[in-house]
Amino acid sequence: MTERTGFELEDEGLAAALRRFPTHAAQMRTLIQRNESFRAMCDDLACVEQALLSVDKMPSEIRDERRREFTELVDGLAVEIERTLSQVKVISIAQYINRGQ
């Protein structure tokens, strides 16, 4: 959905994810550097949030439908980002436990 054009988009993607999950800031900064899929999800979240902010400028006959679509996309991306953050926590805990054995 997004094209990587440099640090600006990455910063926007990280900022969008941080607004939703501020307590995971360190974890997200690491993931965004190491995981292309996670970075793409964050970038997509930023793009769709921006589209949602501009929906009022759209023609009235498509405005409500686009608002619903963009809201669903934002919600879905937030769920995927949260799922990824949860999986990383589980993997980290499992690695910690396995090191102790």
Side-chain angles (χ1 to χ4, degrees):
M1 180 181 247
T2 61
E3 182 179 327
R4 303 280 302 147
T5 58
F7 291 109
E8 182 178 310
L9 182 57
E10 182 176 304
D11 292 344
E12 291 173 14
L14 179 59
L18 286 172
R19 282 191 296 275
R20 292 188 175 269
F21 308 103
T23 60
H24 298 282
Q27 186 181 19
M28 285 192 286
R29 283 187 173 90
T30 299
L31 273 173
I32 215 158
Q33 300 262 333
R34 297 181 182 175
N35 185 317
E36 181 66 33
S37 294
F38 183 77
R39 185 179 319 123
M41 280 190 286
C42 293
D43 292 347
D44 289 347
L45 177 63
C47 288
V48 178
E49 283 182 342
Q50 191 62 42
L52 187 57
L53 290 173
S54 65
V55 78
D56 288 331
K57 298 174 186 169
M58 294 181 176
S60 59
E61 57 273 2
I62 64 169
R63 192 177 302 145
D64 290 339
E65 183 179 341
R66 293 299 177 265
R67 183 177 282 111
R68 277 191 298 278
E69 289 174 1
F70 295 154
T71 299
E72 287 175 12
L73 285 169
V74 166
D75 292 345
L77 286 163
V79 166
E80 287 300 314
I81 290 169
E82 186 173 35
R83 185 177 297 140
T84 300
L85 291 168
S86 295
Q87 289 172 346
V88 169
K89 280 185 179 180
V90 170
I91 291 168
S92 297
I93 292 170
Q95 288 173 345
Y96 178 77
I97 291 170
N98 288 336
R99 279 188 223 158
Q101 294 179 358

